[in-house]
Every structure is written in structure tokens, then in C-alpha cells.
Amino acid sequence: MLGFLILLAVFVPILAPYNVVQAWNDPGAWTNNPKLAAPEWSEIFSGKHLPRTILLASNGEPGGFDKVRISFNVSGQTYTIVVLRKSFSFQFDTFPSEIKLFMTAVFGNATGTQIRVFWDRPDGQEIHLFDGNPSVRAPYENTYSLTGPSFKDPSYAVYSSVRDWLIAKNVTNQTEWASLYPTSGGIYQNPPQTQTMLMGRLNRTILDPETAEVLKGNYSFRIEFSGFTPTDDANARAVVYGTVFGLAGTDYEGRDLLVALLWGAPVALAFGVAGALASVLIQTILGAISGWYGGFIDEFVQRTADFYLIIPTLPILILLGILYHLGILLILFVLVVFGVVGATTKVVRSIVLQVKEEQFIEAARSYGASRSRILFRYILPRVMPYTFALIALTVPAFIFLEASLSFLGLGDPSLPTWGHILGDAYTQGALFASRAYPTGLWWWVFFPAAGIIFTTVAFALLGYAFDKVLNPRLREQ
Amino acid sequence: MPLPVLDVKNLVLWYRTRKGPVHAVDDISFALEAGQTIALVGESGSGKTSTANSILRLLPKNVLRYEGEVVFDGQDVMEFDNEEFRKVVRWRGISMVFQGAMNALNPTTRVGSQVAEPLIVHYDIDRREAADQAIEALGKVGLSGDIARRYPHELSGGMKQRVVIAMSLILKPKVVILDEPTSALDVMTQTNIINLLKDLKNTEHLSYIFITHDLGLASELADLVGIVYAGQLVEVGPAEGVFVRPKHPYTGKLLASVPRLRSEAAPDFIPGVPPDLTDPPPGCRFHLRCPVSFEKCGWSAPEFIEQVKLLQISEETKDKVPAIEAMKAKDTQTLLIKPVANGTIAEFAQRLTSFIAQDQETYRFLKSVESVQSKAKVVEVKLHEAMPPPLIGADWRASCWLLEAGGS
Ligand SMILES: Nc1ncnc2c1ncn2[C@@H]1O[C@H](COP(=O)(O)OP(=O)(O)OP(=O)(O)O)[C@@H](O)[C@H]1O
Ligand code: SF4
Ligand SMILES: [Mg+2]
């Protein structure tokens, strides 16, 4: 178990370089991923082939959009026409979660510059999706959502195009549409899911997302751009977002949770081991000094330990987190500072008091070994085995602390730790079942939680294993 | 007469406890010549280990009194400060094999480095060289060099004991204190260890202080024997003498209590328990258990009362004792007895006196009565004065009032 974790900790930085982690908080870095997608393998539960994300690259990239550009002059007026076209095959059993078109455009004069977007279906139907004016110039992208899951405004162009197309094909009529998709105060109560209409079989089932059947086959985008200067140009890319992604799914920003899960392991390990190692070792040495030298030193260390034991570390950390937004190293530092003396100091002291009376210590005194030599060469080696067990058992405590802080949003904001993800999932209501996600966003919660449990159990088992090895009765054999 | 290598004079070591001072070593003196072995023999708790510890100045925190002279090699090392003592005496001059060698080894360190540890502590020599010397020392005690790489728990009890002996020899001391070096071993291993110690004594020119409660082992090894009772040496003298013709009744009892193979006679035993060292008995410390105690041995009034009560309780003896209502110690040597009211005080005193006269050979505490006087309502019994017996003799000393009387 532990071996697996350590392997993970070693290989993760190689497999998923740190810059992936740096991009974690950059929403722009994750636009090609579906949001809140379940893991790909979860389709075995539904028995359906669930849509993966299809990336349609821009012109110039391999497999990208095809492009024709002509620029010509009529009576002193330059016209530039760009036609972009890309088809793709869609063979999945359910509809994509979202379809987006991203366009870059170079244009001189904004007025009159126009794009017209068409959608061709495997059944030969073509839908004129919308006409628009690009609003930003390259290199920035104009983003058009064809499905607009977050729009409820009935005036959204794609809604009208789809509605008009369905009416033209006699699938529905104005009144039925209005009753199926009622509006109130100028917004849809329950907006039509355009992706089902764009990609469903053209019959009455298409009106209801529950009954619509996927029309498998080749779809294509066709985009016509027209501008008025010789340098005008346009390019496009599109993403047909799936409903499943990767091994661990995605969160509400479309971030690949696998990255966070994998990176969570080394972070948790490093944090837990470093924290436990530092605090337990310091506590051990102080406890040993306290027990061995006795007297004033003992009194001082023990009273300090008593004091430290009643300091509520977590609330203090929460306070510090709120005030200063500590990075992970600072959190570790604060934890270690608040853990220089504590329970381990007391445990070790009592072990030392016992070891102190053993004959071999007396023997060492008798042949003249100095007090510090006895402490470091005789007593500490005797205590160390217990210390190792304690370290192993303390690691989970540190991992839990970090997770708790991150969960409360007080951890290191720049690192996708397991606690951090759980915190995100919690604030986004991941566990509430919705119509789109009848089982809730289980993967968002399950994997980081499993990671924490796995790691803590691994260390607890290690601790118990140490315990067993160190049990004198077992050791004598 | 050669100068003794170790001359212990009036050594005292008392511990402070909640019950009061423990007189663990109470005025012990003996001298040991080079090459001699003294066996310190005594019951458990008599203060043998404490004597050894006070020679090596291995004191616990609760020391109350620690005084006397320890002359080692002509120098009174009691005068040394701790650092000097550590440098001169500890292990270089006098080393020790601790009681229960099983635990005297550090379980986490290899045997070789433990044997070498005193070398490193004292001479700060190179590890390699220390390891070589350790292997050499292990060879001397009959262990092969590869033992050096083992951990203590991989060794048998006898091997551990040899390791500890090797460790005590590593700095070539003149005196080795062996505190019950064989008590946890089986008889065959014991014999092997004793033979080893004999050989080492000759090849390494050692003097031993051999602490044991086993008289058989003591007679194997010892030139001198010191019998320790309640923190004191009650008899010390040449082994041939002490074992054959003991002067002190306690030594006699000890010898009689050794079981003999194929002997018809059951081994004798010593009645009672060793005295409580927080409150050692006055006079001779052995008088409560001594089979031949008499007037001078030092019974005190409270002890007398205790003994009378024991007689009153016992079914056999309760009729012999004159009827008594109450007894009370007036001072340490005087007690008042109030008789049950029938007859006069004088009559009671009469009965008491005749009881004492009749039974004093059986119940020897009765011998301590000096006088019986009738008072108004009570009888006052005066006991003989309690004085500890002095050590009598020169090369063979014992502390028993009988010796004074017999003029031996
Ligand atoms: N540190 C101490 N504090 C108080 N009392 C002690 C201490 N060490 C020993 N004693 C007491 O002093 C007395 C003598 O103890 P010591 O260990 O010298 O006896 P011993 O003759 O070596 O007995 P044994 O044969 O059992 O080893 C005992 O009554 C013991 O309880
Ligand atoms: S002085 Fe001698 S006779 Fe008297 S009690 Fe002591 S040992 Fe026995
Ligand atoms: Mg002892």
C-alpha cells in the first residue's frame, strides 16, 4: 500500500509535470474539458457508450478545419470571404454535454463584418445556426456556445434557429413549442436542450430530451466569414464536449481531477511525513532530554508540553489562515512549531524514565560514559523504534489537518490537494442529486476521500506493523 | 605484609526513603590484597550490591549518607572529585560485572561495540582498533570473534555473561567486582563461568570481589570470605577458616542451611526474616534470629513485648506465660507489665521470674531480663543494655558477644 503511494509520489511529478498544477487555478487552461464529467469508465454502469470530448482543431493544425479564403475587389471595395469547414463522426449513445465554437478573426472595420454558422447533419439536414459579428480581434477568441446550457434567454440565436427549423420540418408548431418551453418574465423556465435537437433523429421524439434518439454519423460545421479589408481573415475551432472524461472525471471548471488526485499523493505524503518527522523527532529528543536529565529541565519541558497540549492548534491555524492565507510550507511550519512539545514528549519521557533504570545504563555510567553520550548512544536508540511507530501513526494526523484546512478553504490555494478538492466539491454541492446527475457528482468526492483514507490507513497499518515488530515479546523470537 | 590493593574502611551508604533511612551499608571494612578474592556472602537485601556500588561510587539520587574510606592502590579515592574518580577508578582501576548480566547489555547495540565502549569512552581510540581489542577480549573469555557482530538477544545466558566479563576486562583493571555473576545460570554453565573466572584471575592478575549468596561457589573461588548481614560484615576471614569453623552464629547457620547431596539430614534453616534496614535491630542485628543469643545481645523493650505476645498467641505456649493484662515499653530497655487482677503484684513478679528462669533456654529473649521489680500496680522489667558487638579478631574478625565471653 505504502509502496504504491511512494511510487506514486515519485512518478507523479514525472507523469504530470508541475506546470499542470500551476495551471490549476487558470480557468483558461481547462476550456477543452467537459465540466462535471464523470470518469470514462463509469459508462460500464449505464451500459451505454457515453460521449467523449471531440476536439475540432483550428485550420493549420493537423486534422483541423479546412479553410478557403478569397479576397477580391469590386469597384474599389475589397471583399474578403473565408469559408471554414470541418466534419466529425459522432458514434456515441447519448448527447454531448455542450458544443462550443471558438473563432479568431482579423478585421479592419467592425461594421458589416459578419460570420454565418451552419450545422450539417448526417441526414442531410442543414441548420443555419446563427449570424454574428465578431467582437474581439485575434489573437483573442470569440466564443459561441451552440447549446448555451447557462442561457435562459429565448432570444438566444441558436434557440430560435432550432425552433424555426423544427417548425419548418413540421415536427412541431409555434403553440406546441411555447407550451413545451414556457417562458416567464422573458426567460425560459426550462430551456430547450439544443444539443439533443442538433443531434437527434428528426421526428417528434426530438422535442423531449428524455426520448430523443442520437443520430449517429458525420456532422459538420460550416462557417462563412465576410470582411471588408484585404487583411481580414478568420479561423475557428470547436469542441463537442462529452459527458465523461479521463479516469477521474472533471470538476466544475472542467479541470482533470486525475491531476489533482495524483498530485495529492506526493503533497499529502510530503506534508504528512515532513510534519510528522519534524514534530515527532523534536518531541522525542525533548522528551528524552526531559526524562534523562530530570530536575529543572524536566519540569520546564513538561510544563511547556502541558501548555502546548491545551493550545487549540486547529482554531489557531484557521485564524492564521483567514488572516494571512498561508502557503503549504508556512502551514507546515506553524504545525511543527505548535508541535515541538506535546503528547510524544510525554510518552517518550515515560519510556526514558523506564529505560533509565535498566542495568545497561547503570553499566554505562559505571565505566564512565558521559551523560550526553548515554543519552544519544544508549537511550535514544532504545526510544527510536517507538518513535518510528509514532511517526507512522502521526502522519495521518498531519494529512487530516491539511485536508481539514484545505476543506475549509484555508489551505494553500495554489495546490490541488485532496482536501482542497473536497472543499470545492462541498461548496459546489457535489453530493446533491440533480436531474442531470441523479447520483450526484460522486467522483468529485469519492476519489479524494479515498485518497485520504488510503494514505492514512496505509500509515496506520505501518504504525501497527512497527508496533508488532517492536513488541518485545515478538522481537525476542 | 604487602600493601592491599583495595582497603575499604568504615564504608557507609544510607538511602533516603519515605519509610526512613535505609542502612544498606553500615560501617563495612575489609582489605583485599593483589590477586586475592573476597567473597561477600549474604541473604538477599543484606546490602551486597550496595557495598559494591559504593566502592564504585554508583549512587542513586536518594543517597542520604555516603562516607568512609576506599583506599585503592594507596590513594583514598573517596577524596577524588567525580571527574578524577571517573578517570582513575571507573573501569581502569575497578570494574564491575553487574547483577543480572542479561540486562546489562544494551539490546540495540552489537556485542562487539559494547565490549569496546569503555575503551572509546576512556581513550577515544579509533573504532577499528577498539573493535580489534574487543575481539581479543572476547577471545579471552572463550568466545569466538564473530560473536562481536551479534546482538545480545542472539546469545545464550552463559554467552552474555562471558560478554559482560569481557567488557569488565577490557581496560585491564586491577579489581573486578562480580555481583552474582552466575545466579541466573544453570549449574553446568555456572561451573564453566567459575572456571573461566579462576583462569582469568591468574592470567590477568585480577583481584575479585565476588558477591554471591551461594556458599558453594564462594568456597570455589574465594581466599577471603565476608559474611554480610543487615548492612554489616558480621564475619570476615580466610575462606578455609570461615567455612570450616565459623565464628559467628549466623555464618554457622548459613553453612548448615546448604543442602547436601545424598545427605540424610534435612538442611537447616534460619527462622524469621532478614531485618528491615530502615530500622535495624539494636545490639547485635542478628539477635532476633540467633539460636544462641544471650544477655548482651541487645533485646529492646518493644521486641521483648512482641516476643511475649507471640508466646501468648501460640496454642502450645500460652499456658506457660503468666496472665498479663497489658504491657508497655517505658524506654528502650525498660517495660512495664500489668498483670490480670488475681493475687498481688509480688506474687505475679514471682511467677514471672520463675517463668523466665525456667524457659530462657528455649525462648532466648528471656535471657535479656536484668531485673524484675514490683511497683504499685505493675511489674517493671529491666533489660540488659543493648550494645552492638565489636568486630573481634585481627585477620579473622567476627562480631558476636560470644567471642568476647569465650575470649577466642
Ligand atoms: N536506591 C535505593 N533506594 C532505597 N533503598 C534501596 C536502594 N537500593 C537498594 N535499597 C535497599 O537497600 C537494601 C540493600 O540492597 P542491595 O541491593 O544492596 O542488596 P543485595 O544484598 O545486593 O541483595 P540481592 O542479593 O537481592 O541482590 C535492600 O533493602 C534494598 O531494598
Ligand atoms: S551477638 Fe552473637 S550470640 Fe548474640 S545475637 Fe549476635 S550473633 Fe547471636
Ligand atoms: Mg544485589
Side-chain angles (χ1 to χ4, degrees):
Chain A
M1 232 171 158
L2 201 68
F4 172 75
L5 276 174
I6 290 168
L7 273 184
L8 202 63
V10 172
F11 282 108
V12 161
I14 303 168
L15 293 175
Y18 184 65
N19 55 24
V20 180
V21 176
Q22 278 180 317
W24 186 258
N25 288 311
D26 170 15
W30 305 97
T31 49
N32 285 346
N33 288 355
K35 292 173 181 174
L36 302 178
E40 280 174 7
W41 47 263
S42 69
E43 71 183 5
I44 57 170
F45 300 127
S46 63
K48 288 179 185 158
H49 190 35
L50 298 179
R52 312 294 195 264
T53 298
I54 299 169
L55 295 179
L56 306 174
S58 54
N59 175 259
E61 285 173 43
F65 269 80
D66 296 324
K67 175 172 134 180
V68 179
R69 174 176 179 275
I70 32 171
S71 197
F72 52 93
N73 203 305
V74 178
S75 333
Q77 173 63 52
T78 304
Y79 295 90
T80 300
I81 308 278
V82 179
V83 177
L84 290 152
R85 194 183 158 83
K86 172 69 192 162
S87 66
F88 65 95
S89 162
F90 190 85
Q91 301 294 346
F92 301 103
D93 294 338
T94 63
F95 296 97
S97 62
E98 206 181 343
I99 305 169
K100 271 185 183 170
L101 179 67
F102 303 90
M103 287 205 65
T104 51
V106 180
F107 51 92
N109 191 349
T111 32
T113 303
Q114 198 188 34
I115 49 171
R116 290 149 59 79
V117 180
F118 301 90
W119 176 255
D120 291 324
R121 294 163 39 104
D123 55 6
Q125 298 288 330
E126 181 176 83
I127 307 166
H128 180 176
L129 289 174
F130 64 91
D131 294 346
N133 308 94
S135 53
V136 293
R137 289 183 167 84
Y140 300 105
E141 285 182 325
N142 298 277
T143 305
Y144 305 100
S145 173
L146 307 191
T147 51
S150 55
F151 298 116
K152 291 196 168 180
D153 185 350
S155 68
Y156 182 55
V158 181
Y159 288 149
S160 332
S161 309
V162 169
R163 181 197 61 205
D164 295 347
W165 172 65
L166 289 177
I167 292 171
K169 295 293 163 194
N170 286 321
V171 173
T172 183
N173 56 48
Q174 199 79 41
T175 1
E176 190 190 25
W177 181 271
S179 72
L180 280 174
Y181 299 108
T183 60
S184 150
I187 59 162
Y188 278 124
Q189 295 303 293
N190 176 27
Q193 292 203 8
T194 42
Q195 65 268 44
T196 42
M197 295 170 183
L198 291 176
M199 301 182 79
R201 275 183 199 286
L202 186 60
N203 54 42
R204 287 209 32 100
T205 59
I206 203 170
L207 288 172
D208 182 357
E210 301 288 321
T211 57
E213 299 160 47
V214 179
L215 177 66
K216 297 179 185 177
N218 285 324
Y219 289 85
S220 58
F221 276 104
R222 184 158 58 81
I223 299 150
E224 297 171 3
F225 168 90
S226 46
F228 301 99
T229 56
T231 54
D232 277 13
D233 200 354
N235 206 339
R237 65 183 183 89
V239 183
V240 181
Y241 294 96
T243 57
V244 289
F245 184 88
L247 286 173
T250 61
D251 71 359
Y252 68 118
E253 296 271 29
R255 296 185 283 212
D256 184 357
L257 286 173
L258 187 65
V259 170
L261 280 177
L262 292 182
W263 265 93
V267 171
L269 278 190
F271 187 88
V273 171
L277 209 65
S279 76
V280 173
L281 281 185
I282 295 174
Q283 291 204 22
T284 298
I285 290 176
L286 287 177
I289 288 176
S290 162
W292 175 235
Y293 287 101
F296 169 75
I297 299 176
D298 187 24
E299 196 64 23
F300 178 74
V301 172
Q302 293 310 311
R303 294 299 79 79
T304 316
D306 289 340
F307 180 67
Y308 268 63
L309 277 174
I310 55 164
I311 295 183
T313 312
L314 190 61
I316 288 182
L317 265 176
I318 291 175
L319 202 70
L320 287 174
I322 291 170
L323 291 176
Y324 299 111
H325 270 280
L326 304 174
I328 193 145
L329 286 178
L330 265 176
I331 294 175
L332 188 64
F333 178 75
V334 172
L335 276 178
V336 171
V337 165
F338 279 105
V340 289
V341 284
T344 306
T345 325
K346 298 200 161 266
V347 173
V348 168
R349 174 179 179 264
S350 63
I351 297 173
V352 169
L353 286 183
Q354 203 182 325
V355 173
K356 199 175 163 176
E357 299 304 325
E358 281 183 40
Q359 194 96 68
F360 69 90
I361 302 291
E362 173 94 340
R365 275 215 299 150
S366 75
Y367 54 67
S370 67
R371 290 180 75 77
S372 57
R373 187 179 176 87
I374 295 179
L375 177 62
F376 284 101
R377 291 232 352 146
Y378 296 72
I379 294 190
L380 279 179
R382 281 281 280 176
V383 177
M384 271 310 154
Y386 299 92
T387 306
F388 285 132
L390 277 175
I391 289 175
L393 292 173
T394 312
V395 169
F398 272 84
I399 294 177
F400 267 126
L401 257 174
E402 192 278 329
S404 321
L405 283 176
S406 296
F407 181 81
L408 296 173
L410 300 170
D412 189 328
S414 66
L415 275 180
T417 65
W418 291 333
H420 193 147
I421 301 203
L422 282 178
D424 280 351
Y426 176 72
T427 44
Q428 299 294 322
L431 281 179
F432 294 106
S434 61
R435 208 174 61 140
Y437 300 100
T439 49
L441 308 169
W442 54 272
W443 61 90
W444 202 357
V445 178
F446 180 78
F447 295 116
I452 293 174
I453 292 168
F454 183 82
T455 316
T456 51
V457 168
F459 276 98
L461 289 179
L462 180 72
Y464 294 137
F466 267 125
D467 232 20
K468 260 194 194 148
V469 173
L470 302 170
N471 185 324
R473 258 173 305 151
L474 290 170
R475 198 177 24 164
E476 287 302 314
Q477 278 143 31
Chain B
M1 185 176 144
L3 203 66
V5 63
L6 184 71
D7 194 355
V8 176
K9 293 179 192 160
N10 308 104
L11 196 60
V12 172
L13 177 63
W14 290 4
Y15 302 117
R16 187 186 306 114
T17 65
R18 233 179 291 135
K19 280 175 65 191
V22 177
H23 302 232
V25 181
D26 215 357
D27 194 11
I28 280 185
S29 308
F30 63 89
L32 188 62
E33 280 165 35
Q36 270 190 330
T37 296
I38 183 169
L40 295 183
V41 186
E43 283 167 288
S44 188
S46 54
K48 304 181 297 293
T49 301
S50 300
T51 306
N53 285 349
S54 50
I55 291 169
L56 264 182
R57 205 188 278 186
L58 293 172
L59 307 175
K61 278 219 181 80
N62 59 336
V63 169
L64 184 63
R65 256 183 86 190
Y66 175 51
E67 52 206 45
E69 261 177 66
V70 176
V71 181
F72 172 70
D73 235 3
Q75 286 172 290
D76 182 4
V77 296
M78 288 291 271
E79 301 293 318
F80 286 7
D81 66 28
N82 282 339
E83 189 53 28
E84 207 176 1
F85 190 87
R86 187 176 87 85
K87 283 207 178 120
V88 178
V89 182
R90 295 251 171 98
W91 238 249
R92 290 205 204 179
I94 307 176
S95 67
M96 182 156 169
V97 170
F98 288 91
Q99 188 168 6
M102 314 297 155
N103 313 318
L105 292 172
N106 185 346
T108 55
T109 315
R110 288 181 201 279
V111 163
S113 35
Q114 290 197 58
V115 173
E117 183 76 0
L119 272 173
I120 295 167
V121 165
H122 277 270
Y123 297 110
D124 197 22
I125 66 167
D126 179 61
R127 289 203 154 271
R128 180 84 50 79
E129 199 184 318
D132 289 345
Q133 291 200 33
I135 289 174
E136 196 191 318
L138 287 171
K140 280 184 193 165
V141 298
L143 292 174
S144 66
D146 58 311
I147 296 283
R149 306 192 43 76
R150 301 219 204 149
Y151 285 96
H153 70 268
E154 298 170 307
L155 305 181
S156 72
M159 285 160 111
K160 279 193 221 174
Q161 193 64 57
R162 282 167 193 261
V163 168
V164 176
I165 292 171
M167 199 168 158
S168 73
L169 298 181
I170 191 108
L171 296 190
K172 308 203 182 334
K174 290 191 173 166
V175 178
V176 180
I177 302 174
L178 305 157
D179 191 353
E180 305 197 15
T182 60
S183 38
L185 304 174
D186 64 85
V187 185
M188 281 309 294
T189 318
Q190 275 190 357
T191 316
N192 288 336
I193 296 283
I194 295 295
N195 287 336
L196 171 71
L197 289 172
K198 276 187 195 165
D199 293 344
L200 287 171
K201 181 179 166 179
N202 296 326
T203 55
E204 307 287 313
H205 311 291
L206 300 170
S207 303
Y208 289 141
I209 298 176
F210 180 63
I211 295 175
T212 184
H213 44 237
D214 185 328
L215 289 160
L217 291 179
S219 69
E220 284 276 312
L221 208 58
D223 305 303
L224 296 173
V225 183
I227 307 292
V228 187
Y229 187 78
Q232 295 182 322
L233 267 183
V234 292
E235 178 163 9
V236 55
E240 320 85 70
V242 174
F243 284 138
V244 179
R245 222 159 24 86
K247 288 185 175 176
H248 198 281
Y250 176 62
T251 317
K253 274 292 202 185
L254 272 184
L255 287 171
S257 66
V258 177
R260 289 192 176 76
L261 277 182
R262 296 173 196 242
S263 150
E264 292 294 307
D268 200 357
F269 65 97
I270 308 178
V273 289
D276 177 6
L277 293 185
T278 49
D279 183 19
C284 174
R285 291 189 179 178
F286 187 50
H287 70 248
L288 282 161
R289 304 163 75 192
C290 183
V292 293
S293 69
F294 64 109
E295 287 80 350
K296 299 184 80 172
C297 295
W299 296 91
S300 67
E303 285 169 354
F304 192 97
I305 293 172
E306 194 67 25
Q307 296 294 322
V308 172
K309 280 185 178 160
L310 285 177
L311 292 184
Q312 286 174 318
I313 292 167
S314 161
E315 200 60 43
E316 286 171 50
T317 53
K318 66 177 183 195
D319 299 331
K320 294 184 181 175
V321 186
I324 290 170
E325 190 176 305
M327 287 179 288
K328 192 179 132 203
K330 191 175 163 199
D331 56 50
T332 60
Q333 302 308 124
T334 322
L335 63 140
L336 305 175
I337 302 180
K338 188 178 178 207
V340 175
N342 64 343
T344 65
I345 296 292
E347 278 169 10
F348 176 75
Q350 193 57 46
R351 279 206 299 279
L352 194 62
T353 317
S354 70
F355 164 63
I356 290 168
Q358 217 169 37
D359 283 306
Q360 61 174 332
E361 289 306 322
T362 333
Y363 311 115
R364 300 192 72 90
F365 73 95
L366 295 173
K367 289 199 172 199
S368 63
V369 175
E370 195 174 16
S371 64
V372 177
Q373 273 176 20
S374 308
K375 290 282 160 79
K377 283 184 180 159
V378 294
V379 170
E380 185 181 272
V381 177
K382 260 194 161 354
L383 303 181
H384 286 284
E385 195 186 357
M387 287 267 289
L391 271 168
I392 296 162
D395 288 345
W396 180 357
R397 289 168 295 153
S399 64
C400 172
W401 285 116
L402 279 176
L403 299 177
E404 193 190 48
S408 152

